[in-house]
Amino acid sequence: MEQVKATCVFAEQEVEHELLFVMDVVNKHLKSMKVPQDIPRIELWKTPFYDVKVQTLASSYDDFEKLRLQVTTPLQLSTLPGAEMELDWGNLPGYDDIKGFMANNRRKSQDDWNMIKETSAETLLGREMLKSRESGERSYGFRQIKSEESNKSVFVTQKGNVVGGGTYSVLNALSAYLRYLEGTARDDWQEVHDKLRASENRNGASFNALFGSALSLGIISRRRVHYEAIKYEKERKAGFLSPFGYSAATIAAAVEAVCSKEWYWILALRNQINNDGKQSTRIWRWNGFLIQYTVAGEDGPAVLLVHGFGAFGEHYRDNIYGLSSTGHRVWAITLLGFGKSEKPNIVYTELLWADLLRDFIVDVVGEPVHLVGNSIGGYIVAIVARVWNVLIKSIVLINSAGNVIPRNTSMSLSRQSDRKTSVATWLGSRIILFYLRLRIQELVKQCYPTKIERADDWLINEMLRASYDPGVPVVLESIFSFNLSIPLNYLLEDVKENVIIIQGMKDPISDSNATVAMLKEHCDGVIIKKIDAGHCPHDEVPELVNSIICDWIHRVESNILAGFSELIMNTLVTQ
């Protein structure tokens, strides 16, 4: 900066926490510098989808839609004025330079932990079940489903299923995608059509699958996608747009995807907040999608809180600060498809969410955690514990979903590609959504039998707000495809000494007495705490649950320390 006497650094406006952190560091460094003209500064820019100040927009998508904002038209390269400048660009770094820089600046254990991310929960559980059946070491009889061979593709990435290259290459692929109904004799367009069919595991899902990375990397903008889709729609409809929808499924998929992505970016920008320094709301990008999470605490063991179906990270509102104030570092994640996290058009499964938790622990937390999960969140936590137990110190299940079954029962693991939607699931999800919006207050209060007042207006309004977000019906379709047949006692088998179960005995969703009885019979070694609460004890009686969790973590940490000390002593003795 001082060498070239620059007064301004231009950067794109971001919402992800790590990028914002880098911006803060750069900004602080600039303030310490001086150039003859002025103090250097950072100037943020973005390609506006809507020509408004997003911070002033409503936080409800229902209210946002009523504004009927027009999408801005992207600039065409031919309209930009030319500039004659003689600049010495210096030596631009090449691929080997960047690779060397990354190798020299890795965080702790990054190589080993990155290897953990390479294999999905679906693959690892499948291997475990097959090994179990062949060896006879376990008495669970699981049926292995054969996987299909992956199709060859000229697309980028190892799996060959993502559109890549430069802007013009992506625009060409987008043209092929939008014109799928027309067919083509061009080889490059035919490849896009073939991959489209392979990626369409539900209506419209192929757009995110093929073009999600290009959008995230900025190779093509959301408003350019919208512009190309609408332009083609007008070509098909003699210059008119119908109020009754689009004339091709691919046009609808592209428009809905980019409008949805823009909404969640706006929501993320609005929620870059800090609550009196106690806890902060942050954004993390996972597989191109925006995930919201909350952090609190500076020192102590790492704790990750995972909510249940239909809830969000702040459902642990009195646990986040309650645990951090007693010497813990706490993360509360809002899973993909819930709260203010993005809700893309994909197939949601318990295994997908397990992969998300794995990557969050590796990329964000950066060390083994005490995992806490409520309801379906508990079941997802149990999957992580089974498949990647190196990432956890202990797990806490709060009224967890999942069954406990005798060991001679045969089960099957269904793959994500098998869970395709149907007309029935499409209709069922819309009926459920209408019913939930109509009776959400009554349904939530039923889950708080001992302290109904905890099901307050804030909680109800947050759930109701999220129900109007784009993509919610797709998330609800997952209810019809969940496969919770892998029993809890199998998932907990290798970690049962580090498991505590907190069971609200007045749970209206399940028979708590029967659940506790089965856990005691088939999960020996697991600690069970029965408390007077409903389905969400962590929010209904937070002080009691916080106390149980704190005592539990202290016990586990003490055992870890004792084991470490014993290992050191044995090592010294042998030497």
XYZ file of all heavy atoms in Angstrom, residues 21 161 245-246 360 460 465 540:
74
model
N -13.475 -11.817 9.523
C -12.338 -11.730 10.428
C -11.099 -11.231 9.687
O -10.358 -10.352 10.172
C -12.059 -13.100 11.062
C -10.850 -13.124 11.954
C -10.900 -12.592 13.235
C -9.653 -13.670 11.508
C -9.783 -12.605 14.059
C -8.531 -13.694 12.317
C -8.603 -13.151 13.596
N -19.439 -33.895 -11.331
C -20.862 -33.532 -11.320
C -21.099 -32.048 -11.081
O -22.191 -31.650 -10.698
C -21.591 -34.344 -10.237
C -21.010 -34.108 -8.857
O -19.982 -33.462 -8.710
N -21.654 -34.653 -7.847
N -46.729 -18.999 -13.465
C -45.537 -19.833 -13.387
C -44.754 -19.831 -14.675
O -45.124 -19.198 -15.666
N -43.645 -20.564 -14.671
C -42.744 -20.597 -15.815
C -43.068 -21.767 -16.734
O -43.632 -22.779 -16.311
C -41.296 -20.667 -15.332
C -40.903 -19.467 -14.501
C -40.835 -19.539 -13.106
C -40.620 -18.249 -15.107
C -40.491 -18.435 -12.341
C -40.278 -17.127 -14.352
C -40.224 -17.227 -12.970
O -39.889 -16.133 -12.218
N -18.353 -29.312 10.454
C -18.373 -28.161 11.360
C -17.341 -28.341 12.470
O -16.617 -27.403 12.818
C -19.771 -27.986 11.955
C -19.925 -26.744 12.794
C -20.209 -25.526 12.198
C -19.780 -26.787 14.176
C -20.335 -24.370 12.962
C -19.913 -25.643 14.953
C -20.195 -24.433 14.338
N -42.260 -18.934 19.497
C -43.308 -19.192 18.503
C -43.077 -18.341 17.257
O -43.169 -18.837 16.127
C -44.704 -18.898 19.092
C -44.955 -19.744 20.354
C -45.780 -19.145 18.049
C -44.917 -21.225 20.135
N -41.723 -17.486 11.689
C -40.966 -16.731 10.684
C -40.241 -17.684 9.743
O -40.280 -17.537 8.512
C -39.942 -15.826 11.366
C -39.187 -14.878 10.433
C -37.735 -14.700 10.828
N -36.981 -15.936 10.764
C -36.519 -16.463 9.620
N -36.732 -15.874 8.470
N -35.847 -17.610 9.648
N -36.992 -26.000 28.598
C -38.061 -25.945 29.607
C -37.486 -25.762 31.014
O -37.994 -24.961 31.800
C -38.896 -27.223 29.539
C -40.142 -27.196 30.403
C -41.012 -28.423 30.207
O -40.584 -29.358 29.500
O -42.123 -28.455 30.767
